[in-house]
Amino acid sequence: MSSSDLEKARERVTLLRREIDEHNYRYHVLDQPLIDDQSFDQLMRELQELEQKYPELQDPDSPTMRVGGEPLPAFEPLEHKVPMLGLDNAFNEQELHDFDGRVRRLTGLDRIEYLCELKMDGLAVSLQYENGIFMRGATRGDGYTGEDITQNLRTIRQIPLQLPEPVTLEARGEIYINRAAFLQLNRQREEQGLPVFANPRNAAAGSVRQLDPRLAAARPLRIFLYGLGEHNLDQNSQAGLLAYLDQLRLPVNPNYALCTGPDQVWEYCLKWQDKRHDLPYETDGIVIKVNRLELQKNLGSTARSPRWAIAFKYPPEEKATRVLDIRVNVGRTGAITPVAILEPVTLSGTTVQRASLHNEDFIAEKGVRIGDTVSVHKAGEIIPEILGVIKDKRTGDEKEFQMPRKCPSCSSDTFRLSGEAARRCLNPSCPAQLVEKLIHFASRRAMDIEGLGPALAEMLYREGLVEDVGDLYYLRSEQLTGLERIAEKSASNLVAAIEKSKGNPLRRLIFGLGINFVGEKAARLFAEKFGHLDRLRTAEEEKLISIPEIGPKIAEAVVNFFRMPETGTVLEKLEQAGVNFTEPVGPDREEESAHLAGKTFVFSGILEDYKREEAAALVEARGGKVSSSISKKTDYLVVGKEPGSKLDKARDLGVEILSEDRFKEVVRQ
Ligand code: IVH
C-alpha cells in the first residue's frame, strides 16, 4: 500500500464523515433530509469499508461509531460540577403572579422579561463537550451525581458527536420518546410477551438506562436541549442561549416565546393547554425562566431549585366515571381479557367508553366492581386506564366480577397456566379464537386483505364458509353475494383482495399465522433467515435461538406451532392455493420500510379507519415524519372529518392535501 493511497483514503474519509454528519443533522434535527435512505446507507457503507481497510483512520467520533460497545456491568457515577436542580411548581395563575412578585422584589425591577418553554415529560440529562467533541453524558441522578450513560447517548443520532465549533460546555436537556414510537414499542413488546411501558416517559427512562447499548440503540430516543451546566460562554439571555445551542446543531424545541410580565406568561400557558396534545411528544407543563442571565445569576438558587425559574404544571387529565359493566374478550391465542364498559367521559379531547382491565390480578389489585365509580386517565395520553376506585361513592349495590370459568365463546373450561397472568381457553377450535385469527391474518400489518374486517370475518365463520385462514383462498364470489349486506361488487372486490394477498412476502404470512410471541419483527427475522416457510417449519429450536434477538420463548412457540396437526392442514390449503411461501431478499425490504423517507405529514380532523397515533406510526414505520403544524416543509396534509384551520393554511402554502383514501394509497404504494 503506498502512502498516497492512505492519503487519498484520509481525504475521502474526512469528506464522508462531514457529509454523513450533515445528512444526520438534516434528517434527525432539522427534519429536512436531502437524500433518501439508500443513498445515505451507501455513504455509510463506503466509510465503514475505508475505516476497515485503513485502521489508522479509525476515530471514536466517526459516525460509524455510534452503535455497538459491550454491555456494562453497571453505570459509573458521574459528578455534576454544577448541580442539576429541580424546579418549583405553580399550579394556577395566582401562583405565577406570586412568582413574578418575588422576582420583582428580589431584583428591584418593575417589569421582568421571561422566556417560556414547553416542559418536556422525559428524563433530564447532561452532555459534556470538550473542544467540540462529545465526551460524556449523564442522567440527573440525585442532582449532584448522575449515572454515566455516555455509550447510550452516543447512539442517539440527534446528538452530534462533534460540534461545528471547538467549544467546551455542558448542555442540559430532556430525553424523550414520541407518542407514536412509544405505541409501536409497546406493541412490539406485547407481541414478544414482555411487560409494556406505562407511558412514554418510562419508556425513555428505561431505554436510556439500558446496560446494553445495542438495546438502547434500537429504541427511538430523542432529545431537546434547554440549558447549560458548566460553561464559559458570554451569552446574556436565555433566548440567546437557545439560539446558540441551535447554532451548535443541538436540537432545541422551537416552541419557546419571550413574554413580558405574568399576563403574557399566562396567555402562553393557556395557548398550549390544548395545543400540546397535538404535539408528537408529551409535555406536562411550561417552564418559565427569567430571560436575562445576569438577573438569573443574581437571583441564585435555593438548595432545591433556582429562584429564577418555575414550572407551571397542567392539571393531569383525570376524571371520574362509572363502570357500567365488565365484559370479556377472547383473543386469538385464547387469552380472556376483561374490559370495563364505562359511562362515556371526555379525556384529552376524545370520548372514552372502555378500558382494559388486563387480567384478574389487575381487577383484584384495584378492587374494581361493576357499578363502581372509578378515576380514569389516559396513559401516555393515549390508552384509557383505570387508576383506582373512588370507594366513598360506593352504595353497596356494586357487584364483584368473577373471571369466567367457562369460555364465553365455546364453553370449554378456562385455565390459568403457571407463570401467566391471563386465563385462557385452550380449545384450538374455539370459534372466538378462530374469528380473531382470521381478523389478524387479514389485518393491515399481516396479509393486508382490504375489506376483511371483524364483522365480515365473524359472518364468514358463522355461515360456515371459512374455518381457518386457509379456507379464505377457496372463497368464490357467488358464495359471498348471498350474504347479508354484501353486494356483488364488494364480493368480487374481496375475492380480488384475497387473491392479491397471495403474492405477499413471507414475513407477512409468518406474522399473519399468529404464532404466539411472534410479532412483525420476529416474523421478518425468520423470513430473512430462512427464505422459505418450509425451512422455518422444519427448523429446530437451537437453530431458531441462534438468530440474534430470538429468545427461547419465541423459539419454543414456533416449534410447538408447527407441531400441531391443525397447522399442517392450514399450510396445505395455503400452499395448494398458491400463496407465496418465499421472501424476496435485499432491496425489496428496504423499499417497503423507507418509501416515505424525507416526507413530512400533518394530520387534521378525525380519520375513519385509524386513530391519529396509528396513522402516525404507519408514516414513521415507512421512514416518514409527522409534524403537528403546517409549514413550507410539510409535504402532505391528511384531512379527516371536521378538519381545522390547518386546511386553509395548507391551501395557502400549496401543500398537497390527501383524503383518507389517498393517504392509504400513499402509505401503501
Ligand atoms: S430547566 C435549573 N427547562 O423539568 C433549571 N427543565 O422539574 C432546570 N424539564 O429536571 C431545568 N423541560 O428534567 C428546564 N424546558 C425545560 C424543561 C425542563 C423539562 C424537566 C427537567 C428538570 C425538571 C424540573
Side-chain angles (χ1 to χ4, degrees):
M1 174 190 1
S2 76
S3 68
S4 85
D5 278 349
L6 176 63
E7 277 324 300
K8 257 194 229 145
R10 191 189 303 279
E11 272 171 38
R12 182 71 188 147
V13 161
T14 310
L15 194 78
L16 281 169
R17 285 182 188 152
R18 208 176 302 147
E19 216 173 303
I20 289 170
D21 281 343
E22 178 69 24
H23 289 308
N24 252 333
Y25 173 67
R26 297 193 67 95
Y27 184 88
H28 292 286
V29 182
L30 294 184
D31 235 359
Q32 297 171 323
L34 281 179
I35 59 172
D36 59 28
D37 287 10
Q38 277 95 319
S39 320
F40 180 83
D41 291 345
Q42 219 168 339
L43 294 176
M44 273 298 259
R45 256 195 308 273
E46 190 187 346
L47 178 58
Q48 262 157 356
E49 278 163 16
L50 283 172
E51 288 176 348
Q52 230 158 45
K53 192 162 165 205
Y54 302 99
E56 54 272 65
L57 298 182
Q58 282 174 9
D59 182 334
D61 304 316
S62 169
T64 56
M65 301 295 282
R66 282 196 181 263
V67 202
E70 289 302 307
L72 300 169
F75 293 115
E76 294 290 327
L78 197 66
E79 203 182 313
H80 303 300
K81 300 249 175 60
V82 178
M84 289 179 82
L85 300 177
L87 290 171
D88 262 352
N89 293 322
F91 294 100
N92 52 46
E93 190 179 2
Q94 182 55 45
E95 290 176 5
L96 282 179
H97 277 273
D98 294 347
F99 165 71
D100 175 64
R102 265 191 320 270
V103 171
R104 281 190 289 114
R105 185 165 46 77
L106 291 170
T107 55
L109 298 170
D110 43 351
R111 248 166 32 137
I112 302 283
E113 200 174 45
Y114 294 104
L115 193 96
C116 296
E117 297 168 14
L118 300 182
K119 186 168 188 307
M120 302 297 302
D121 195 9
L123 171 91
V125 293
S126 108
L127 311 177
Q128 293 180 21
Y129 286 88
E130 284 172 21
N131 302 314
I133 307 289
F134 176 56
M135 301 300 286
R136 275 174 299 279
T139 60
R140 172 171 160 198
D142 63 4
Y144 296 90
T145 311
E147 289 173 315
D148 184 334
I149 50 163
T150 311
Q151 285 211 62
N152 291 345
L153 293 171
R154 289 178 68 93
T155 67
I156 302 177
R157 282 173 174 68
Q158 284 188 308
I159 298 180
L161 297 177
Q162 207 166 354
L163 299 175
E165 294 171 30
V167 280
T168 296
L169 56 81
E170 194 188 325
R172 291 187 173 167
E174 197 88 348
I175 297 276
Y176 67 96
I177 281 184
N178 277 344
R179 270 197 282 268
F182 155 76
L183 283 182
Q184 207 174 6
L185 180 63
N186 265 356
R187 201 170 326 146
Q188 226 175 54
R189 291 177 69 84
E190 209 156 50
E191 280 161 355
Q192 293 169 2
L194 297 170
V196 294
F197 291 112
N199 52 48
R201 178 163 42 86
N202 287 6
S207 302
V208 91
R209 297 189 66 256
Q210 274 286 343
L211 288 166
D212 184 346
R214 276 164 302 194
L215 291 180
R219 301 282 173 79
L221 291 168
R222 302 177 64 84
I223 191 168
F224 277 129
L225 283 310
Y226 49 66
L228 290 177
E230 209 178 30
H231 70 98
N232 51 9
L233 306 174
D234 56 353
Q235 293 297 325
N236 46 32
S237 68
Q238 173 70 13
L241 193 147
L242 292 178
Y244 182 63
L245 291 175
D246 182 58
Q247 188 187 320
L248 290 180
R249 301 192 154 197
L250 291 161
V252 170
N253 191 321
N255 300 306
Y256 59 85
L258 261 182
C259 298
T260 308
D263 293 334
Q264 276 187 20
V265 167
W266 181 239
E267 240 170 71
Y268 179 88
C269 295
L270 288 180
K271 171 176 144 185
W272 281 99
Q273 176 132 27
D274 288 332
K275 219 174 134 178
R276 70 201 179 102
H277 300 305
D278 294 338
L279 294 167
Y281 44 80
E282 303 255 287
T283 56
D284 59 348
I286 302 294
V287 182
I288 298 128
K289 302 177 180 174
V290 170
N291 188 38
R292 305 229 61 85
L293 298 190
E294 203 192 331
L295 291 181
Q296 286 190 7
K297 209 167 116 202
N298 295 343
L299 283 160
S301 305
T302 67
R304 269 183 312 116
S305 51
R307 292 192 192 89
W308 46 265
I310 198 159
F312 170 72
K313 288 284 198 64
Y314 290 113
E317 282 253 27
E318 191 181 313
K319 281 195 186 151
T321 186
R322 250 168 50 91
V323 177
L324 301 176
D325 196 4
I326 296 179
R327 296 191 192 146
V328 292
N329 282 338
V330 184
R332 74 186 145 85
T333 59
I336 299 182
T337 312
V339 181
I341 308 299
L342 305 171
E343 210 163 73
V345 271
T346 313
L347 273 176
S348 315
T350 61
T351 309
V352 170
Q353 323 201 39
R354 20 175 72 221
S356 175
L357 291 167
H358 309 291
N359 52 55
E360 48 203 315
D361 290 349
F362 183 89
I363 297 180
E365 188 197 312
K366 301 277 178 197
V368 181
R369 299 181 189 165
I370 299 169
D372 261 337
T373 303
V374 290
S375 65
V376 285
H377 84 150
K378 279 198 192 160
E381 291 183 5
I382 308 161
I383 304 151
E385 198 176 62
I386 292 186
L387 292 169
V389 174
I390 306 172
K391 297 232 166 81
D392 296 350
K393 301 246 168 153
R394 283 208 170 140
T395 60
D397 292 339
E398 295 76 16
K399 276 198 297 255
E400 289 218 31
F401 171 78
Q402 276 279 322
M403 283 291 274
R405 305 291 128 157
K406 301 268 181 212
C407 171
S409 173
C410 70
S411 305
S412 358
D413 290 339
T414 60
F415 297 92
R416 196 168 160 181
L417 304 178
S418 74
E420 287 203 337
R423 180 169 279 280
R424 285 181 197 277
C425 160
L426 298 178
N427 170 14
S429 331
C430 166
Q433 288 181 53
L434 296 174
V435 170
E436 290 294 329
K437 282 192 176 111
L438 285 177
I439 297 169
H440 171 74
F441 184 80
S443 66
R444 252 191 317 263
R445 286 149 56 222
M447 292 297 267
D448 194 18
I449 302 175
E450 216 178 323
L452 183 46
L456 188 56
E458 165 88 48
M459 182 156 27
L460 292 176
Y461 181 82
R462 199 168 0 103
E463 297 290 331
L465 292 174
V466 174
E467 242 178 49
D468 60 40
V469 301
D471 295 335
L472 288 173
Y473 293 92
Y474 299 86
L475 282 173
R476 283 168 288 112
S477 67
E478 315 80 90
Q479 290 176 298
L480 297 171
T481 31
L483 299 177
E484 220 180 307
R485 280 178 300 164
I486 296 200
E488 211 165 295
K489 178 86 176 116
S490 40
S492 62
N493 281 350
L494 180 66
V495 172
I498 294 172
E499 182 65 26
K500 186 171 150 226
S501 75
K502 287 182 183 174
N504 280 337
L506 176 60
R507 80 197 105 106
R508 283 180 170 273
L509 176 63
I510 297 175
F511 176 58
L513 288 173
I515 308 168
N516 284 357
F517 311 121
V518 176
E520 272 175 296
K521 181 150 176 218
R524 176 169 58 77
L525 293 172
F526 288 140
E528 282 168 356
K529 170 85 180 174
F530 295 106
H532 194 287
L533 188 67
D534 285 345
R535 293 189 51 219
L536 172 64
R537 197 174 174 178
T538 52
E540 288 177 8
E541 217 164 307
E542 298 79 67
K543 178 101 190 203
L544 299 174
I545 297 174
S546 73
I547 303 171
E549 298 185 72
I550 299 296
K553 197 156 127 188
I554 301 183
E556 191 190 346
V558 170
V559 171
N560 286 342
F561 176 81
F562 286 111
R563 251 189 223 143
M564 290 194 307
E566 293 87 355
T567 305
T569 317
V570 172
L571 294 186
E572 202 155 300
K573 289 182 195 169
L574 294 173
E575 193 167 25
Q576 287 292 324
V579 173
N580 171 46
F581 276 15
T582 63
E583 180 74 7
V585 270
D588 244 58
R589 198 190 101 222
E590 294 193 344
E591 243 171 57
E592 195 199 61
S593 63
H595 76 268
L596 298 180
K599 300 285 184 215
T600 301
F601 288 70
V602 174
F603 294 93
S604 183
I606 304 150
L607 299 178
E608 292 222 319
D609 286 355
Y610 309 93
K611 295 208 182 83
R612 187 71 72 85
E613 298 81 24
E614 290 172 345
L618 282 178
V619 169
E620 288 178 357
R622 285 153 182 79
K625 297 257 159 137
V626 175
S627 168
S628 56
S629 55
I630 300 263
S631 73
K632 287 195 300 267
K633 286 189 277 170
T634 312
D635 294 285
Y636 302 110
L637 175 73
V638 183
V639 288
K641 270 191 296 192
E642 300 165 36
S645 60
K646 288 178 188 165
L647 183 55
D648 300 329
K649 190 152 180 212
R651 287 200 178 113
D652 288 347
L653 292 171
V655 169
E656 186 170 345
I657 294 164
L658 302 180
S659 65
E660 184 167 346
D661 283 345
R662 252 314 270 153
F663 169 68
K664 286 184 193 162
E665 285 168 25
V666 169
V667 164
R668 216 167 264 157
Q669 201 176 65

